[in-house]
């Protein structure tokens, strides 16, 4: 226990990680593998898993192939499906945390309420609900898709039925024979709607706009395939590489109007095959470019909608009145249960209000509605802070773990540099960060992601893409080399000195 931290009633560690989703667990494993042991991982919940612990709705699964949606340094030959379901992914993450000795480092039930950088000691002071800690380096792995976005529905508080968000599924509520209204038709809704439709008496799906849906290739993995992957790891690795390359090819397709147009034809043909009723088909035909919102994959969602007891309504909700949900056309929809599949607050992250940098301003104040970071990872004015899956690191076409692993490499490279050059503090230069963000913005301009004619969770308050990396993973790897010249350093001997 460090004396200074102890004086404040807390402990000091070299590195504090926040969160135990893929980001926090992945960083902790790599730190352990590199020989670090002086670190703590704060997790506000009582289990590891992040979104895979919290999302337990029926049908919850990844929509990228599991062999790609896993750490490259912990391959899992045992995936039972090409796209594993939530319990299997959660079990994988728990196993990773246990097997690689991460669990003893985790402080469960510790909510980081405030983190402040102290320039005189070059340390972060973290206030958790269970006490004060200090750390030289803070790694933020608090995720982007875990703060439910609650719609502002007039009268919601008067709703006399049961209401819950899809990411906080209420398993005590019996859906059989009930009138269920679902608000939203995004990636979660397309997974649970086909699961609950057979149970309920009536199902109304209220969508703001129709979504692009492509058929899903999910299938069970044969025992033989599993055995081959287990016995011959290089086969699994070639398989992963093939999945990676196939997804990389999607980038030029989505980026360019012609490729997007061709994919739209595939989706429209699929819709026409599945939905015969022209009126319903019109309601399910998107009015924006494919890729503008996350492309949904399901071979069961569209098939569910033409059933007699299922209704699809377009238009925002005007109000909730008693046990009815009223849409703007004045139509009232009876509801025993209201499921909010309204996604997550992605650009106004709670953690950004809690982190105070060099001059005391929070990340949120610094960003002023436009989250940005150098290499998606470090922020000028916030020394020794590493954001995992920070601004512009999510992917629309592939596994975000590929991006995450690159960021962890960046963290490890920085740590190595710290040790070799007696560095105590490091932050990106303002102009380097600004230049990087300019290049990201230029790459986002005129793509389906920013100019596709829709409002999506990729965009911040100003309409800037703050979430997605606007290109292939390969490009991110090129853009995220650790180059000391990009940073300002403080060394042990004093302040402001910059090693060459
Ligand atoms: C249903 C669903 C399906 C998805 N499918 C895919 C997919 O197929 N492919 C893909 O690439 N991505 C997918 N994603 C995206 C997913 O968000 C990422 O892949 C990844 O899991 C994010 O991991 P994370 O560790 O960054 O964040 P999270 O998993 O959100 O973990 C963050 C952790 O931080 C903790 N935490 C937050 N704030 C604090 C605090 N102040 N103090 C202490 N602890 C805190 C939380 O409790 C949580 O455990 C999916 C997301 C969802 C919700």
């Amino acid at each position: 226990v460090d004396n200074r931290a102890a004086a404040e009633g807390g402990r000091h560690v070299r590195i504090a990680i926040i969160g135990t989703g893929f980001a926090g667990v992945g960083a902790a494993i790599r730190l352990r593998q590199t020989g670090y042991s002086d670190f703590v991982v704060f997790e506000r919940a009582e289990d590891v898993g992040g979104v895979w612990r919290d999302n337990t709705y029926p049908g919850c699964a990844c929509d990228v192939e599991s062999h790609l949606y896993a750490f490259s340094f912990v391959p899992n030959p045992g995936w039972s499906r090409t796209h594993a379901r939530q319990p299997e992914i959660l079990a994988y993450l728990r196993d990773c945390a246990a097997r690689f000795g991460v669990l003893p480092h985790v402080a469960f039930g510790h909510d980081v309420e405030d983190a402040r950088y102290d320039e005189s000691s070059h340390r972060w002071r973290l206030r958790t609900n269970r006490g004060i800690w200090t750390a030289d380096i803070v790694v933020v792995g608090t995720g982007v898709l875990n703060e439910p976005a609650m719609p502002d529905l007039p009268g919601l508080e008067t709703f006399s039925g049961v209401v819950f968000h899809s990411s906080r599924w209420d398993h005590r509520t019996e859906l059989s024979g009930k009138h269920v209204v679902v608000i939203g038709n995004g990636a979660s809704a397309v997974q649970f709607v086909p699961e609950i439709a057979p149970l309920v008496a009536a199902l109304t799906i209220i969508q703001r706009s129709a979504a692009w849906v492509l058929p899903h290739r999910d299938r069970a993995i044969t025992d033989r395939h599993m055995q081959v992957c287990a016995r011959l790891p290089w086969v699994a690795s070639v398989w992963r590489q093939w999945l990676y390359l196939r997804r990389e090819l999607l980038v030029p397709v989505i980026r360019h109007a012609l490729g997007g147009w061709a994919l739209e034809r595939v989706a429209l043909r699929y819709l026409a095959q599945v939905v015969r009723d022209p009126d319903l088909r019109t309601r399910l035909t998107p009015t924006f470019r494919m890729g503008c919102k996350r492309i949904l994959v399901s071979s069961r969602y569209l098939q569910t909608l033409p059933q007699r007891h299922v209704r699809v309504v377009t238009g925002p909700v005007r109000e909730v009145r008693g046990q009815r949900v009223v849409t703007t056309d004045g139509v009232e929809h009876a509801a025993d249960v209201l499921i909010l599949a309204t996604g997550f607050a992605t650009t106004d992250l709670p953690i950004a209000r809690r982190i105070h940098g060099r001059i005391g301003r929070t990340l949120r104040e610094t960003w002023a509605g436009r989250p940005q970071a150098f290499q998606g990872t470090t922020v000028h004015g916030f020394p020794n802070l590493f954001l995992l899956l920070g601004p512009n690191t999510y992917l629309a076409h592939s596994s975000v773990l590929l991006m995450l692993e690159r960021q962890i490499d960046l963290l490890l490279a920085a740590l190595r540099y710290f040790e070799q050059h007696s560095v105590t503090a490091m932050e990106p230069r303002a102009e380097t960060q600004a230049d990087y963000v300019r290049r990201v913005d230029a790459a986002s301009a005129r793509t389906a992601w920013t100019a596709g004619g829709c409002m999506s969770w990729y965009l911040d308050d100003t309409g800037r893409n703050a979430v997605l990396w606007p290109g292939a993973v390969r490009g991110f790897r090129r853009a995220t080399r650790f180059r000391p010249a990009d940073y300002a350093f403080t060394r042990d001997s004093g302040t402001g000195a910059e090693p060459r």
Side-chain angles (χ1 to χ4, degrees), residues 17-46:
I17 300 174
I18 314 174
T20 61
F22 268 103
V25 170
I29 293 175
R30 298 286 288 118
L31 284 177
R32 293 267 307 155
Q33 287 179 333
T34 319
Y36 286 90
S37 57
D38 186 13
F39 68 90
V40 64
V41 190
F42 294 114
E43 171 54 61
R44 64 183 174 193
E46 296 296 338

mmCIF file of all heavy atoms in Angstrom, residues 17-46:
data_model
loop_
_atom_site.group_PDB
_atom_site.id
_atom_site.type_symbol
_atom_site.label_atom_id
_atom_site.label_comp_id
_atom_site.label_asym_id
_atom_site.label_seq_id
_atom_site.Cartn_x
_atom_site.Cartn_y
_atom_site.Cartn_z
ATOM 1 N N ILE A 17 -7.659 -0.190 -14.203
ATOM 2 C CA ILE A 17 -8.513 -0.444 -15.370
ATOM 3 C C ILE A 17 -9.953 -0.299 -14.884
ATOM 4 O O ILE A 17 -10.279 -0.735 -13.775
ATOM 5 C CB ILE A 17 -8.291 -1.880 -15.913
ATOM 6 C CG1 ILE A 17 -6.825 -2.073 -16.336
ATOM 7 C CG2 ILE A 17 -9.233 -2.184 -17.072
ATOM 8 C CD1 ILE A 17 -6.486 -3.503 -16.747
ATOM 9 N N ILE A 18 -10.812 0.304 -15.706
ATOM 10 C CA ILE A 18 -12.231 0.404 -15.305
ATOM 11 C C ILE A 18 -13.063 -0.436 -16.274
ATOM 12 O O ILE A 18 -13.059 -0.179 -17.478
ATOM 13 C CB ILE A 18 -12.738 1.866 -15.317
ATOM 14 C CG1 ILE A 18 -11.739 2.799 -14.627
ATOM 15 C CG2 ILE A 18 -14.110 1.961 -14.643
ATOM 16 C CD1 ILE A 18 -12.106 4.280 -14.716
ATOM 17 N N GLY A 19 -13.772 -1.441 -15.721
ATOM 18 C CA GLY A 19 -14.664 -2.262 -16.536
ATOM 19 C C GLY A 19 -14.134 -3.658 -16.776
ATOM 20 O O GLY A 19 -12.922 -3.864 -16.920
ATOM 21 N N THR A 20 -15.029 -4.629 -16.783
ATOM 22 C CA THR A 20 -14.628 -6.022 -17.067
ATOM 23 C C THR A 20 -15.408 -6.614 -18.227
ATOM 24 O O THR A 20 -15.830 -7.766 -18.201
ATOM 25 C CB THR A 20 -14.797 -6.940 -15.839
ATOM 26 O OG1 THR A 20 -16.198 -6.931 -15.504
ATOM 27 C CG2 THR A 20 -13.967 -6.513 -14.656
ATOM 28 N N GLY A 21 -15.641 -5.805 -19.247
ATOM 29 C CA GLY A 21 -16.138 -6.367 -20.509
ATOM 30 C C GLY A 21 -14.939 -6.906 -21.275
ATOM 31 O O GLY A 21 -13.859 -7.130 -20.698
ATOM 32 N N PHE A 22 -15.092 -7.104 -22.563
ATOM 33 C CA PHE A 22 -13.968 -7.586 -23.369
ATOM 34 C C PHE A 22 -12.767 -6.653 -23.210
ATOM 35 O O PHE A 22 -11.625 -7.106 -23.169
ATOM 36 C CB PHE A 22 -14.374 -7.680 -24.843
ATOM 37 C CG PHE A 22 -14.913 -9.031 -25.226
ATOM 38 C CD1 PHE A 22 -16.272 -9.243 -25.385
ATOM 39 C CD2 PHE A 22 -14.050 -10.101 -25.422
ATOM 40 C CE1 PHE A 22 -16.764 -10.496 -25.734
ATOM 41 C CE2 PHE A 22 -14.526 -11.356 -25.767
ATOM 42 C CZ PHE A 22 -15.895 -11.552 -25.926
ATOM 43 N N ALA A 23 -13.027 -5.336 -23.116
ATOM 44 C CA ALA A 23 -11.919 -4.381 -23.066
ATOM 45 C C ALA A 23 -11.100 -4.557 -21.788
ATOM 46 O O ALA A 23 -9.880 -4.767 -21.845
ATOM 47 C CB ALA A 23 -12.466 -2.953 -23.165
ATOM 48 N N GLY A 24 -11.767 -4.488 -20.632
ATOM 49 C CA GLY A 24 -11.046 -4.573 -19.364
ATOM 50 C C GLY A 24 -10.382 -5.924 -19.174
ATOM 51 O O GLY A 24 -9.203 -6.005 -18.762
ATOM 52 N N VAL A 25 -11.102 -6.986 -19.504
ATOM 53 C CA VAL A 25 -10.535 -8.333 -19.330
ATOM 54 C C VAL A 25 -9.370 -8.528 -20.309
ATOM 55 O O VAL A 25 -8.306 -9.048 -19.939
ATOM 56 C CB VAL A 25 -11.630 -9.419 -19.539
ATOM 57 C CG1 VAL A 25 -11.016 -10.807 -19.603
ATOM 58 C CG2 VAL A 25 -12.657 -9.347 -18.407
ATOM 59 N N GLY A 26 -9.543 -8.083 -21.538
ATOM 60 C CA GLY A 26 -8.479 -8.224 -22.544
ATOM 61 C C GLY A 26 -7.220 -7.486 -22.123
ATOM 62 O O GLY A 26 -6.108 -8.026 -22.207
ATOM 63 N N ALA A 27 -7.389 -6.250 -21.652
ATOM 64 C CA ALA A 27 -6.218 -5.470 -21.229
ATOM 65 C C ALA A 27 -5.537 -6.157 -20.042
ATOM 66 O O ALA A 27 -4.302 -6.258 -19.993
ATOM 67 C CB ALA A 27 -6.652 -4.055 -20.847
ATOM 68 N N ALA A 28 -6.341 -6.649 -19.110
ATOM 69 C CA ALA A 28 -5.772 -7.283 -17.912
ATOM 70 C C ALA A 28 -4.996 -8.555 -18.294
ATOM 71 O O ALA A 28 -3.900 -8.812 -17.760
ATOM 72 C CB ALA A 28 -6.884 -7.606 -16.916
ATOM 73 N N ILE A 29 -5.539 -9.331 -19.207
ATOM 74 C CA ILE A 29 -4.831 -10.556 -19.626
ATOM 75 C C ILE A 29 -3.476 -10.193 -20.237
ATOM 76 O O ILE A 29 -2.438 -10.762 -19.895
ATOM 77 C CB ILE A 29 -5.660 -11.360 -20.654
ATOM 78 C CG1 ILE A 29 -6.920 -11.928 -20.005
ATOM 79 C CG2 ILE A 29 -4.825 -12.498 -21.259
ATOM 80 C CD1 ILE A 29 -7.858 -12.630 -20.968
ATOM 81 N N ARG A 30 -3.482 -9.206 -21.116
ATOM 82 C CA ARG A 30 -2.239 -8.845 -21.809
ATOM 83 C C ARG A 30 -1.228 -8.234 -20.820
ATOM 84 O O ARG A 30 -0.031 -8.454 -20.957
ATOM 85 C CB ARG A 30 -2.521 -7.890 -22.966
ATOM 86 C CG ARG A 30 -3.402 -8.475 -24.043
ATOM 87 C CD ARG A 30 -2.679 -9.512 -24.925
ATOM 88 N NE ARG A 30 -1.736 -8.871 -25.802
ATOM 89 C CZ ARG A 30 -0.419 -9.071 -25.804
ATOM 90 N NH1 ARG A 30 0.099 -9.928 -24.945
ATOM 91 N NH2 ARG A 30 0.362 -8.440 -26.633
ATOM 92 N N LEU A 31 -1.734 -7.512 -19.828
ATOM 93 C CA LEU A 31 -0.817 -6.979 -18.815
ATOM 94 C C LEU A 31 -0.174 -8.128 -18.047
ATOM 95 O O LEU A 31 1.040 -8.141 -17.825
ATOM 96 C CB LEU A 31 -1.561 -6.066 -17.830
ATOM 97 C CG LEU A 31 -1.923 -4.666 -18.321
ATOM 98 C CD1 LEU A 31 -2.725 -3.927 -17.255
ATOM 99 C CD2 LEU A 31 -0.674 -3.856 -18.676
ATOM 100 N N ARG A 32 -0.997 -9.097 -17.670
ATOM 101 C CA ARG A 32 -0.465 -10.259 -16.943
ATOM 102 C C ARG A 32 0.572 -10.985 -17.803
ATOM 103 O O ARG A 32 1.635 -11.332 -17.319
ATOM 104 C CB ARG A 32 -1.594 -11.254 -16.607
ATOM 105 C CG ARG A 32 -2.602 -10.742 -15.616
ATOM 106 C CD ARG A 32 -2.281 -11.109 -14.193
ATOM 107 N NE ARG A 32 -2.056 -12.533 -14.016
ATOM 108 C CZ ARG A 32 -1.328 -13.070 -13.040
ATOM 109 N NH1 ARG A 32 -0.745 -12.299 -12.173
ATOM 110 N NH2 ARG A 32 -1.210 -14.377 -12.943
ATOM 111 N N GLN A 33 0.216 -11.172 -19.080
ATOM 112 C CA GLN A 33 1.139 -11.901 -19.963
ATOM 113 C C GLN A 33 2.457 -11.148 -20.146
ATOM 114 O O GLN A 33 3.486 -11.749 -20.417
ATOM 115 C CB GLN A 33 0.482 -12.116 -21.340
ATOM 116 C CG GLN A 33 -0.625 -13.160 -21.312
ATOM 117 C CD GLN A 33 -1.285 -13.333 -22.678
ATOM 118 O OE1 GLN A 33 -1.304 -12.406 -23.487
ATOM 119 N NE2 GLN A 33 -1.832 -14.517 -22.924
ATOM 120 N N THR A 34 2.413 -9.817 -20.014
ATOM 121 C CA THR A 34 3.613 -9.016 -20.214
ATOM 122 C C THR A 34 4.388 -8.859 -18.907
ATOM 123 O O THR A 34 5.448 -8.241 -18.879
ATOM 124 C CB THR A 34 3.207 -7.620 -20.767
ATOM 125 O OG1 THR A 34 2.176 -7.800 -21.724
ATOM 126 C CG2 THR A 34 4.359 -6.922 -21.452
ATOM 127 N N GLY A 35 3.841 -9.402 -17.820
ATOM 128 C CA GLY A 35 4.581 -9.394 -16.557
ATOM 129 C C GLY A 35 4.123 -8.365 -15.544
ATOM 130 O O GLY A 35 4.736 -8.204 -14.511
ATOM 131 N N TYR A 36 3.046 -7.646 -15.842
ATOM 132 C CA TYR A 36 2.544 -6.665 -14.871
ATOM 133 C C TYR A 36 1.659 -7.348 -13.839
ATOM 134 O O TYR A 36 0.843 -8.217 -14.185
ATOM 135 C CB TYR A 36 1.713 -5.578 -15.559
ATOM 136 C CG TYR A 36 2.550 -4.599 -16.340
ATOM 137 C CD1 TYR A 36 2.833 -4.835 -17.684
ATOM 138 C CD2 TYR A 36 3.064 -3.460 -15.738
ATOM 139 C CE1 TYR A 36 3.614 -3.950 -18.403
ATOM 140 C CE2 TYR A 36 3.847 -2.570 -16.446
ATOM 141 C CZ TYR A 36 4.121 -2.820 -17.792
ATOM 142 O OH TYR A 36 4.896 -1.953 -18.491
ATOM 143 N N SER A 37 1.826 -6.944 -12.596
ATOM 144 C CA SER A 37 0.905 -7.481 -11.588
ATOM 145 C C SER A 37 0.339 -6.362 -10.706
ATOM 146 O O SER A 37 -0.618 -6.574 -9.979
ATOM 147 C CB SER A 37 1.626 -8.512 -10.712
ATOM 148 O OG SER A 37 2.754 -7.901 -10.136
ATOM 149 N N ASP A 38 0.936 -5.154 -10.825
ATOM 150 C CA ASP A 38 0.500 -4.061 -9.952
ATOM 151 C C ASP A 38 -0.658 -3.289 -10.619
ATOM 152 O O ASP A 38 -0.487 -2.161 -11.069
ATOM 153 C CB ASP A 38 1.703 -3.137 -9.686
ATOM 154 C CG ASP A 38 1.375 -2.057 -8.670
ATOM 155 O OD1 ASP A 38 0.325 -2.182 -8.002
ATOM 156 O OD2 ASP A 38 2.149 -1.084 -8.567
ATOM 157 N N PHE A 39 -1.769 -3.949 -10.739
ATOM 158 C CA PHE A 39 -2.927 -3.271 -11.320
ATOM 159 C C PHE A 39 -4.220 -3.773 -10.692
ATOM 160 O O PHE A 39 -4.267 -4.866 -10.123
ATOM 161 C CB PHE A 39 -2.962 -3.438 -12.848
ATOM 162 C CG PHE A 39 -3.237 -4.839 -13.331
ATOM 163 C CD1 PHE A 39 -4.541 -5.274 -13.564
ATOM 164 C CD2 PHE A 39 -2.187 -5.723 -13.562
ATOM 165 C CE1 PHE A 39 -4.792 -6.566 -14.011
ATOM 166 C CE2 PHE A 39 -2.435 -7.018 -14.003
ATOM 167 C CZ PHE A 39 -3.744 -7.442 -14.241
ATOM 168 N N VAL A 40 -5.247 -2.929 -10.784
ATOM 169 C CA VAL A 40 -6.560 -3.293 -10.269
ATOM 170 C C VAL A 40 -7.569 -3.078 -11.392
ATOM 171 O O VAL A 40 -7.361 -2.231 -12.259
ATOM 172 C CB VAL A 40 -6.915 -2.435 -9.021
ATOM 173 C CG1 VAL A 40 -7.044 -0.959 -9.370
ATOM 174 C CG2 VAL A 40 -8.207 -2.904 -8.374
ATOM 175 N N VAL A 41 -8.623 -3.877 -11.387
ATOM 176 C CA VAL A 41 -9.691 -3.697 -12.375
ATOM 177 C C VAL A 41 -10.974 -3.395 -11.600
ATOM 178 O O VAL A 41 -11.450 -4.244 -10.837
ATOM 179 C CB VAL A 41 -9.902 -4.965 -13.237
ATOM 180 C CG1 VAL A 41 -10.833 -4.645 -14.406
ATOM 181 C CG2 VAL A 41 -8.584 -5.529 -13.742
ATOM 182 N N PHE A 42 -11.490 -2.185 -11.766
ATOM 183 C CA PHE A 42 -12.727 -1.828 -11.065
ATOM 184 C C PHE A 42 -13.927 -2.264 -11.896
ATOM 185 O O PHE A 42 -13.986 -2.020 -13.101
ATOM 186 C CB PHE A 42 -12.818 -0.314 -10.852
ATOM 187 C CG PHE A 42 -11.766 0.206 -9.921
ATOM 188 C CD1 PHE A 42 -10.777 1.055 -10.383
ATOM 189 C CD2 PHE A 42 -11.763 -0.165 -8.587
ATOM 190 C CE1 PHE A 42 -9.798 1.540 -9.525
ATOM 191 C CE2 PHE A 42 -10.784 0.310 -7.722
ATOM 192 C CZ PHE A 42 -9.802 1.167 -8.191
ATOM 193 N N GLU A 43 -14.871 -2.900 -11.243
ATOM 194 C CA GLU A 43 -16.111 -3.301 -11.919
ATOM 195 C C GLU A 43 -17.269 -2.998 -10.971
ATOM 196 O O GLU A 43 -17.290 -3.473 -9.843
ATOM 197 C CB GLU A 43 -16.062 -4.792 -12.275
ATOM 198 C CG GLU A 43 -17.381 -5.366 -12.787
ATOM 199 C CD GLU A 43 -17.964 -4.584 -13.971
ATOM 200 O OE1 GLU A 43 -17.307 -4.505 -15.010
ATOM 201 O OE2 GLU A 43 -19.086 -4.038 -13.833
ATOM 202 N N ARG A 44 -18.216 -2.210 -11.485
ATOM 203 C CA ARG A 44 -19.318 -1.816 -10.598
ATOM 204 C C ARG A 44 -20.277 -2.976 -10.319
ATOM 205 O O ARG A 44 -20.936 -2.997 -9.282
ATOM 206 C CB ARG A 44 -20.062 -0.620 -11.179
ATOM 207 C CG ARG A 44 -20.745 -0.905 -12.483
ATOM 208 C CD ARG A 44 -21.395 0.335 -13.053
ATOM 209 N NE ARG A 44 -21.913 0.052 -14.386
ATOM 210 C CZ ARG A 44 -22.312 0.963 -15.233
ATOM 211 N NH1 ARG A 44 -22.245 2.239 -14.916
ATOM 212 N NH2 ARG A 44 -22.778 0.631 -16.412
ATOM 213 N N ALA A 45 -20.335 -3.934 -11.240
ATOM 214 C CA ALA A 45 -21.230 -5.083 -11.040
ATOM 215 C C ALA A 45 -20.515 -6.162 -10.216
ATOM 216 O O ALA A 45 -19.392 -5.970 -9.767
ATOM 217 C CB ALA A 45 -21.664 -5.622 -12.389
ATOM 218 N N GLU A 46 -21.180 -7.307 -10.063
ATOM 219 C CA GLU A 46 -20.603 -8.372 -9.228
ATOM 220 C C GLU A 46 -20.066 -9.522 -10.069
ATOM 221 O O GLU A 46 -19.759 -10.590 -9.561
ATOM 222 C CB GLU A 46 -21.648 -8.898 -8.233
ATOM 223 C CG GLU A 46 -22.108 -7.863 -7.210
ATOM 224 C CD GLU A 46 -20.998 -7.378 -6.276
ATOM 225 O OE1 GLU A 46 -19.995 -8.089 -6.122
ATOM 226 O OE2 GLU A 46 -21.133 -6.254 -5.729
#
